Amino acid sequence: MYQEYIDFIIPLAKKVGELQLSYFRTDRLGIETKSNISDVVTRADKESEELIANALFGKYPNHKILGEEGGFRGNEDSEYLWVVDPLDGTTNFSQGIPIFSISIALQYKGETIAGVVYAPYLDELFVATKGGGAYMAYHGGESKRIQVSRKERLDSSVIATGFPYDKSTNTDNNTQEASRVVPLVRDLRRLGSAAYDLSCVATGILDGYWEMSLKIWDVCAGILIVEEARGQVCYYRDDRSLSVIAGNELIVKHIKEIIAPDRD
Ligand code: IPD
Ligand code: CA
Ligand code: CA
C-alpha cells in the first residue's frame, strides 16, 4: 500500500540530491540569511524545492504542497498534502559539512502515509509507509528493514539534539536541558539535520533524539520513519511549535524525565 508514492519519491529525491551535490563545497552557494544571522538559505534550497514542486504537480496536479521555501501551493481543497523540506541541514551544507538531507512526506486527511529522507552526500535513503515498516538503503545497496535501538539505559546511549534559531535572543533555547543530559549519556551529538537525526534513531545509529521549536517539514517524514521502525515519538511541550523526543519507549521516557520532568 502507498508503494506508488514511494516509487515516485525515491528517484525524485535522488535527482534533487544530484542538484545539491553540484553546489556542495563550491563558491556558487548564494548564501542569504532569513529570520536572523543563524538562519541561512542557499540557491540549492530554493532550486531543490522548485524541482520537487514541479515534479509533484506534474504527477499529481490536484494535490497541494507545503514546502519550507515556497509555503502552501496547489489545490487547497485537496486531501493530499506533500510536506517538503528541500534541504534539511542548510547550515551544514553551507559550511561543507556532509550531513544534510531531503525530506518528503505525504499526508492524506492529516495522517502521514509515506515518508522519504535522503542524505545525498552519504547516499543514505530512509523510507517508510504507514503500516508498511521502515527501510534503509545505502550506497545503492538493497533496502533493509530497520528498527530502533534496544538500549534500556542512558549511560550507554548516544543521543542527538539541536538548538533553535532564536537561541541568541531567547534563553529558553535547550542549552539548560542539554547540560543536564550530557553527564548522563555516553555522548551527545548535534548533527544538524532533524530529518537525518530522526532517520538515525529509526535505524538505531542514534539511541535517541530530542529537539524543540521544529517545523512540520523538518519532522513529518522522519516521525513516520521512527514510528514504523517500532520507535516512539513524544511531543514534550506545546508552547514552542513542534518539540519532540524520539527513541524506543524506555529511552524516550528517560530523556523526558530529564528535559521535561513536569510536563505531561
Ligand atoms: C534545521 C535543521 C537543524 C535543526 C533546525 C532546523 P534547516 O533545518 O533540521 O538540525 O536544529 O531547527 O530548522 O533550516 O536546515 O532546513
Ligand atoms: Ca529543516
Ligand atoms: Ca530546509
Side-chain angles (χ1 to χ4, degrees):
M1 220 174 157
Y2 312 132
Q3 194 57 37
E4 157 198 350
Y5 300 115
I6 294 301
D7 290 345
F8 177 67
I9 310 171
I10 291 174
L12 174 59
K14 293 201 168 175
K15 199 168 155 198
V16 177
E18 280 174 29
L19 171 82
Q20 295 178 356
L21 292 177
S22 75
Y23 282 112
F24 188 57
R25 293 178 180 163
T26 72
D27 56 6
R28 295 180 288 112
L29 291 174
I31 301 172
E32 291 168 31
T33 55
K34 293 206 279 187
S35 60
N36 63 35
I37 196 157
S38 298
D39 188 4
V40 292
V41 64
T42 73
R43 196 169 283 144
D45 296 66
K46 295 176 197 164
E47 289 183 15
S48 296
E49 183 151 329
E50 287 318 296
L51 185 56
I52 295 167
N54 288 338
L56 288 176
F57 285 135
K59 173 92 174 169
Y60 303 107
N62 293 319
H63 288 190
K64 67 185 165 192
I65 298 178
L66 170 61
E68 179 177 13
E69 308 307 331
F72 279 105
R73 298 189 236 188
N75 170 14
E76 60 182 35
D77 295 328
S78 177
E79 292 180 318
Y80 289 93
L81 174 67
W82 293 87
V83 183
V84 175
D85 191 337
L87 203 173
D88 185 53
T90 301
T91 305
N92 282 348
F93 183 81
S94 69
Q95 293 286 126
I97 299 169
I99 300 174
F100 55 91
S101 60
I102 298 141
S103 175
I104 303 176
L106 176 60
Q107 293 190 330
Y108 175 66
K109 293 187 176 177
E111 180 182 59
T112 309
I113 55 173
V116 168
V117 173
Y118 180 57
Y121 190 93
L122 306 170
D123 193 10
E124 294 179 1
L125 176 73
F126 307 88
V127 175
T129 51
K130 185 82 196 166
Y135 294 82
M136 176 190 185
Y138 61 96
H139 299 170
E142 69 178 288
S143 178
K144 293 200 176 136
R145 193 139 189 184
I146 52 175
Q147 194 174 319
V148 292
S149 153
R150 293 180 189 196
K151 286 189 196 163
E152 297 181 357
R153 296 166 56 110
L154 279 186
D155 58 4
S156 59
S157 291
V158 176
I159 306 293
T161 191
F163 301 94
Y165 282 129
D166 66 354
K167 62 190 180 340
S168 58
T169 50
N170 187 346
T171 53
D172 178 12
N173 59 12
N174 197 37
T175 51
Q176 290 181 15
E177 291 88 331
S179 68
R180 291 203 295 277
V181 170
V182 167
L184 304 175
V185 293
R186 178 168 286 166
D187 212 341
L188 185 70
R189 292 287 178 268
R190 198 297 188 234
L191 298 184
S193 164
Y196 186 70
D197 288 311
L198 286 164
S199 301
C200 285
V201 169
T203 62
I205 292 169
L206 287 170
D207 301 301
Y209 162 71
W210 89 92
E211 187 161 350
M212 64 190 279
S213 280
L214 293 160
K215 297 289 196 310
I216 183 71
W217 46 75
D218 297 315
V219 295
C220 196
I223 286 175
L224 181 67
I225 295 169
V226 170
E227 288 175 346
E228 288 295 328
R230 304 204 179 117
Q232 202 185 70
V233 177
C234 135
Y235 300 88
Y236 69 96
R237 55 189 290 180
D238 53 21
D239 56 337
R240 293 292 299 275
S241 182
L242 279 167
S243 300
V244 302
I245 309 173
N248 68 37
E249 206 182 324
L250 262 179
I251 294 294
V252 168
K253 183 168 165 280
H254 294 325
I255 296 173
K256 186 169 176 299
E257 279 163 3
I258 302 164
I259 66 162
D262 304 324
R263 295 179 192 263
D264 308 322

